[in-house]
Amino acid sequence: MRLVLLGPPGAGKGSLAALLKDALNIAHISTGDILREEMKNKTPLGKEAQSYIDRGELVPDELATRLIEDRLKKSPQGYMLDGFPRTVTQAKDLDDILQKVNKPLDCVLCMETAPELIISRLAGRRVCRSCGALYHMKKKPPQKVGVCDVCGGEVYQRPDDNEETVRHRMEVYSKSTKPIIEYYQSKNKLMHIDGDMETIDLFDIVMKKFHEAGKHD
Ligand code: AMP
């Protein structure tokens, strides 16, 4: 199965991806996670990306595309792209890359989420710095404050999850990323799903739709 997860920040792409990855046995490739790892390791690429990410802006297309091309070449057949593409230019570049590596896309899952829900989800979101496990201060806090239940790593708030930056990221999504929906619609690849739902319910619906469409055996 070869998927793209599309949706605004806070739609729940990462949480859904964590479940789909295991159920479908495919690689989860998140450009946000890759960039955060590069920033943590203070690599030249990480340093270049940092100022864009802290301001809630997109990193340049060429940089994001380079990351994805690398991973797709190395990944097994099945994959799920989370946070890429984010512009129409990236979507077109992705088509070229997928043709080169002979791993064409099956489906684009497009999540739609109410803006006020995005703000409350992201304001409460916390992430493990080591393993990336996701928490929410109200709905799913770690058992011990600041410590990951899974690996014992540090649980922190992403600097770009503050309300002002989140509002800017939502604007960036509307302006730069939403046009991709039309792009994939014209290619008949879109599956719309309700990002307001709880992840586990959404996961069940998505798996059912895949079975009905004969996309997963
Ligand atoms: P995410 O974890 O997907 O919310 O991504 C965090 C940040 O990384 C975004 O706000 C962007 O600054 C940057 N980023 C991630 N993926 C991309 C991409 N495909 N194109 C440009 N910037 C990206």
Side-chain angles (χ1 to χ4, degrees):
M1 180 72 110
R2 300 171 191 131
L3 295 175
V4 161
L5 282 183
L6 193 62
K13 298 188 293 295
S15 305
L16 182 63
L19 298 179
L20 288 175
K21 171 182 180 268
D22 290 338
L24 300 171
N25 194 22
I26 54 180
H28 173 206
I29 305 174
S30 153
T31 36
D33 285 350
I34 299 170
L35 288 166
R36 278 183 289 278
E37 189 63 24
E38 297 279 341
M39 290 193 298
K40 192 168 92 182
N41 295 330
K42 297 195 167 41
T43 64
L45 193 150
K47 285 182 192 161
E48 188 186 341
Q50 177 110 43
S51 67
Y52 295 97
I53 294 177
D54 287 352
R55 283 180 286 126
E57 298 288 348
L58 297 182
V59 305
D61 285 334
E62 176 273 325
L63 196 158
T65 304
R66 197 165 8 119
L67 290 179
I68 282 292
E69 183 161 19
D70 260 17
R71 300 290 158 129
L72 279 170
K73 276 185 192 152
K74 289 179 202 149
S75 78
Q77 282 294 314
Y79 58 79
M80 174 173 36
L81 302 183
D82 164 4
F84 188 95
R86 260 178 155 103
T87 64
V88 172
T89 303
Q90 291 181 15
K92 290 181 177 165
D93 287 344
L94 178 63
D95 283 346
D96 293 343
I97 295 169
L98 294 179
Q99 202 173 0
K100 261 196 263 170
V101 297
N102 195 23
K103 294 173 182 168
L105 202 54
D106 293 312
C107 179
V108 177
L109 287 178
C110 179
M111 305 175 81
E112 324 239 343
T113 307
E116 59 282 9
L117 194 57
I118 292 178
I119 302 282
S120 81
R121 276 184 183 167
L122 294 191
R125 177 162 78 176
R126 300 292 183 274
V127 190
C128 173
R129 219 183 266 285
S130 303
C131 73
L134 291 166
Y135 298 91
H136 189 278
M137 291 316 284
K138 283 198 188 129
K139 288 161 84 182
K140 192 191 164 200
Q143 280 169 15
K144 196 169 160 206
V145 180
V147 181
C148 178
D149 297 347
V150 181
C151 75
E154 182 200 355
V155 172
Y156 82 119
Q157 181 175 32
R158 279 172 44 175
D160 59 343
D161 275 352
N162 71 77
E163 187 168 335
E164 192 189 339
T165 312
V166 167
R167 288 195 189 278
H168 185 60
R169 285 162 63 201
M170 287 161 70
E171 281 168 24
V172 170
Y173 177 78
S174 295
K175 190 166 141 260
S176 305
T177 309
K178 257 192 160 171
I180 300 180
I181 297 176
E182 230 169 84
Y183 178 78
Y184 284 123
Q185 185 93 58
S186 70
K187 292 178 172 280
N188 247 335
K189 298 272 186 201
L190 269 194
M191 187 183 277
H192 286 277
I193 53 174
D194 181 356
D196 290 357
M197 294 174 75
E198 293 296 327
T199 309
I200 188 69
D201 299 326
L202 194 52
F203 168 71
D204 286 343
I205 288 174
V206 169
M207 289 304 286
K208 198 163 159 243
K209 284 191 179 193
F210 284 164
H211 281 293
E212 281 166 8
K215 288 188 187 293
H216 173 52
D217 33 42

